[in-house]
Amino acid sequence: FDSNPGWTTTGQWAFGTPTGGGSNNHDPTSGHTGSYVYGYNLAGDYANNLPVRYLTTPAFDCTGQTHVQLEFWRWLGVESNSNYDQATVEASNNGTSWSVIWSATSTGAAVADTAWKLQVFDLATIADNQPTVYIRWGMGPTDSYVTYPGWNVDDVRLTGLLCEPPYPVGDLNCDGLVDFRDINPFILILTNPEAWAAAYPDCPSANGDINGDGSITFGDINPFIALLTGTP
């Protein structure tokens, strides 16, 4: 959240710098990292008799990903009880049907964070190999008395395992083939490996170790030519 990502907000959800306001526990005065957060009422408490209000991400593409997890840092204050105030974290793979993956009411007591806390949730059954994955944070509904500062959210990310196709040794542009289009990338990794890594960030550098001696040197030139020409 170094800059505003423009996520969808309702009610008093907002992007900005929290002010340390609120009762019972107080909001932070900055993000977990940097100045900015998404929070509910950055100036203090949520309201009584509040219908549920959401912060919603755009769709994340988790195609090819497995063991997907949601990670974020929270600073939360809520009078949580099934009959009092509610806060939730929810996920969806279609933007219509939502699953609650965490609820403050499940704690059975008020949540009154006084420091940033890392949150990690398993989304595998919802997000694995799904092209449209949405996350939303709910504030409310709330009852008619007692308020807290509500949500502050920072450093949100989805993580997962991506199975990449195996690239053959000598495939320096990672198009799946070893051919004359690999000549320039091979010269580049020999002479300027940093520039090669910048040009082909998803390509394993081990593909340039043609002779398998653990390093990429001029000793790999003849084996590379042999791969290109099919010479044993």
Side-chain angles (χ1 to χ4, degrees):
F1 295 155
D2 292 333
S3 60
N4 189 343
W7 293 357
T8 301
T9 60
T10 60
Q12 288 184 284
W13 276 105
F15 177 87
T17 302
T19 62
S23 55
N24 290 296
N25 71 311
H26 298 287
D27 281 330
T29 55
S30 67
H32 172 251
T33 57
S35 299
Y36 304 123
V37 305
Y38 264 112
Y40 196 86
N41 188 4
L42 296 174
D45 289 351
Y46 54 77
N48 285 319
N49 300 310
L50 176 73
V52 62
R53 304 301 189 197
Y54 289 110
L55 165 69
T56 307
T57 70
F60 296 110
D61 186 358
C62 295
T63 303
Q65 303 278 349
T66 61
H67 302 284
V68 175
Q69 291 186 324
L70 168 66
E71 298 181 10
F72 66 92
W73 289 79
R74 84 169 196 211
W75 189 309
L76 172 64
V78 59
E79 184 202 19
S80 57
N81 180 292
S82 59
N83 297 317
Y84 298 162
D85 302 338
Q86 298 185 36
T88 58
V89 183
E90 304 174 25
S92 172
N93 55 29
N94 58 20
T96 302
S97 302
W98 293 87
S99 299
V100 176
I101 58 176
W102 181 84
S103 170
T105 59
S106 64
T107 66
V111 177
D113 294 339
T114 56
W116 286 100
K117 295 185 177 181
L118 176 64
Q119 307 294 293
V120 181
F121 300 105
D122 182 4
L123 296 185
T125 59
I126 299 170
D128 280 10
N129 202 36
Q130 296 296 316
T132 55
V133 177
Y134 303 85
I135 310 297
R136 71 182 184 184
W137 289 261
M139 186 70 255
T142 66
D143 64 11
S144 60
Y145 56 94
V146 182
T147 58
Y148 279 69
W151 279 110
N152 297 275
V153 177
D154 198 10
D155 293 338
V156 179
R157 67 175 184 166
L158 294 183
T159 63
L161 301 179
L162 177 62
C163 294
E164 294 282 4
Y167 298 113
V169 171
D171 182 10
L172 274 303
N173 62 1
C174 284
D175 65 356
L177 301 171
V178 179
D179 56 24
F180 290 101
R181 286 172 292 188
D182 293 298
I183 292 175
N184 287 338
F186 179 70
I187 294 171
L188 188 60
I189 199 172
L190 277 178
T191 59
N192 192 338
E194 292 80 10
W196 175 87
Y200 305 97
D202 299 320
C203 205
S205 61
N207 286 5
D209 180 18
I210 314 299
N211 63 6
D213 66 356
S215 60
I216 302 171
T217 65
F218 290 106
D220 293 298
I221 293 176
N222 287 337
F224 178 65
I225 293 171
L227 285 177
L228 287 177
T229 60
T231 305

